[in-house]
Amino acid sequence: TSDKEIQREFRKMARKLGEKGWNSLTWPKEWGGLEASHVMEFMYIEEIMYYGGLGYDVQGVGHVALVLLHFGTEQQKREHLPPIAKGEVIWCQCFSEPDSGSDLASLKTRAVPDGSDFIINGQKVWSSRAHQSDWCHLLARTDPKAPKHKGISYFLVDMHSPGITVNPLDGIYGGQSMCEVFFDNVRVPGENMVGELNQGWQISLSLLDLERAVYIEQVGVARRVLEMLVKYANERGLAEISSVRQSLADMAIEIEVCRLLGRRTAWLLDRGMPIPGEGSMVKIINTEWAQHWADTGMKILGLYGQLSEDSELAQLAGRIQHWYIRSFGLTIAAGTSEIERTVLATRGLGLPRG
């Protein structure tokens, strides 16, 4: 299946989800939402990822919409929320840069005022599906003289704007979902800035807490994989081996732990309680254990498990192999495990920085 075919199916499914109101589960009714609980939303994310996640726009639904609901102007909400709810527009994130990943506040992309607009110049990298997206949400430096955390602003940028160049990057798993994006004198209307000037870092912090919390998506993937592995072990006689049984039992226990931790975070969100360290805990445990689960699957499949889906000898259609390779990036994307532990220690436990 080509990337174009996958993208076509993704957009078709996104619109179907929109028709059911599932892209706006927790939104206020005035913006087309169902005002459902975050617990229900987490259950939905888990289930849709169990079935492959096709059509779920993580950036638009999971990030941009939340930012606009909390910080956006009425005009921004009117312009962007309905298309997101209907699944008509796909978003990407342009935060990380070649020299600004874990230390995101050191970013160098500039946004310079020009009349009522801003002119953006710089380079972003690791932007998922940027080559297939309609809009991006972006952090840029608007005050180079201010301390690095205080001179950043948050923008919404049309990916079809003149001056934007997107270069897809080959991944170790064979796909091109990650991209680098270049901004060369890109003109962005001033009304596309979210929040106040130089408020971007504060907005991004609230977003990152939620982004890390929604890593519950790995639970949905793992549940499907566990079912596949149990069936495989039974069919091949591997279930008679005690080490295989114990590995699968451990995986089942760990998946349930991750699921309950994620739902606890959702329960806290529903009650308006702060989650300064909860998102980091969810992110750490889901991504590190996902690597462990993928490794377990590869060991159960044996040497044939290393074959990709294009081989007729591939086991379970190469799905475990694909997940295993992609799992290496899980503890890096959206904040490395080291950064997450620092956040958990300082913001969650109130410990001093070393």
Side-chain angles (χ1 to χ4, degrees):
T1 305
S2 68
D3 283 345
K4 288 186 178 180
E5 290 174 324
I6 294 174
Q7 179 64 5
R8 188 160 46 245
E9 290 302 312
F10 186 94
R11 287 180 178 269
K12 181 194 292 187
M13 183 59 71
R15 289 190 290 271
K16 287 183 177 181
L17 297 177
E19 291 172 0
K20 293 181 177 294
W22 292 350
N23 290 329
S24 50
L25 277 175
T26 60
W27 300 11
K29 290 183 178 179
E30 65 177 302
W31 296 111
L34 300 180
E35 295 188 356
S37 67
H38 285 93
V39 171
M40 180 179 288
E41 182 180 40
F42 271 47
M43 292 169 66
Y44 163 68
I45 293 173
E46 179 186 335
E47 288 304 310
I48 198 169
M49 290 303 170
Y50 173 89
Y51 288 103
L54 190 66
Y56 179 66
D57 180 15
V58 174
Q59 294 301 324
V61 175
H63 299 171
V64 176
L66 295 177
V67 166
L68 292 181
L69 287 169
H70 286 88
F71 301 98
T73 64
E74 291 300 302
Q75 176 184 338
Q76 290 169 344
K77 293 175 184 177
R78 285 195 302 270
E79 179 180 357
H80 296 291
L81 289 181
I84 292 175
K86 295 176 183 177
E88 296 173 345
V89 175
I90 304 301
W91 288 76
C92 66
Q93 183 187 78
C94 288
F95 279 19
S96 296
E97 298 183 2
D99 297 318
S100 302
S102 295
D103 184 15
L104 182 58
S106 66
L107 61 87
K108 297 181 177 64
T109 295
R110 289 288 311 278
V112 179
D114 183 46
S116 61
D117 300 336
F118 286 86
I119 305 298
I120 296 181
N121 284 279
Q123 178 187 359
K124 299 293 183 176
V125 73
W126 315 127
S127 298
S128 299
R129 292 182 177 155
H131 60 313
Q132 300 168 337
S133 299
D134 305 299
W135 282 75
C136 76
H137 54 133
L138 172 148
L139 291 178
R141 190 163 300 284
T142 43
D143 186 354
K145 296 181 181 179
K148 64 181 183 179
H149 293 88
K150 298 183 180 298
I152 296 171
S153 296
Y154 195 110
F155 295 93
L156 309 177
V157 182
D158 186 340
M159 289 296 289
H160 303 292
S161 303
I164 294 181
T165 301
V166 180
N167 179 29
L169 303 172
D170 292 327
I172 61 173
Y173 49 85
Q176 287 188 324
S177 66
M178 296 291 185
C179 303
E180 56 182 351
V181 185
F182 298 90
F183 297 84
D184 184 10
N185 291 322
V186 177
R187 182 173 293 275
V188 176
E191 58 263 26
N192 284 16
M193 183 176 68
V194 181
E196 301 295 329
L197 185 69
N198 299 325
Q199 192 189 9
W201 186 250
Q202 289 76 17
I203 295 175
S204 67
L205 281 182
S206 63
L207 171 61
L208 289 172
D209 277 339
L210 292 170
E211 179 182 17
R212 291 156 181 166
V214 299
Y215 260 84
I216 189 68
E217 65 191 53
Q218 290 303 317
V219 170
V221 177
R223 277 181 48 220
R224 185 65 174 267
V225 170
L226 177 62
E227 291 176 4
M228 295 167 64
L229 290 173
V230 169
K231 181 179 179 182
Y232 182 88
N234 281 322
E235 292 176 347
R236 300 301 177 94
L238 297 174
E240 298 176 5
I241 302 174
S242 62
S243 61
V244 171
R245 293 198 306 272
Q246 290 176 15
S247 294
L248 292 174
D250 285 342
M251 185 174 174
I253 294 169
E254 290 165 0
I255 289 172
E256 193 63 22
V257 170
C258 288
R259 170 192 253 176
L260 294 175
L261 180 59
R263 292 191 182 181
R264 176 180 181 275
T265 303
W267 181 84
L268 292 173
L269 287 171
D270 282 333
R271 282 149 184 78
M273 300 174 71
I275 56 167
E278 303 293 327
S280 291
M281 281 198 291
V282 171
K283 204 272 182 179
I284 291 168
I285 196 169
N286 274 272
T287 56
E288 292 188 356
W289 279 6
Q291 291 175 343
H292 167 60
W293 300 330
D295 183 63
T296 295
M298 290 291 286
K299 288 177 178 177
I300 290 174
L301 296 185
L303 293 178
Y304 282 104
Q306 299 178 41
L307 299 175
S308 59
E309 63 271 17
D310 55 359
S311 171
E312 61 181 16
L313 297 177
Q315 304 298 295
L316 300 180
R319 181 164 182 172
I320 309 301
Q321 182 253 26
H322 190 265
W323 190 37
Y324 175 79
I325 293 175
R326 293 201 69 149
S327 72
F328 286 95
L330 295 178
T331 52
I332 300 173
T336 66
S337 289
E338 292 80 6
I339 292 295
E340 299 300 340
R341 284 181 167 84
T342 297
V343 171
L344 179 55
T346 56
R347 297 181 61 200
L349 301 177
L351 297 173
R353 288 185 175 274

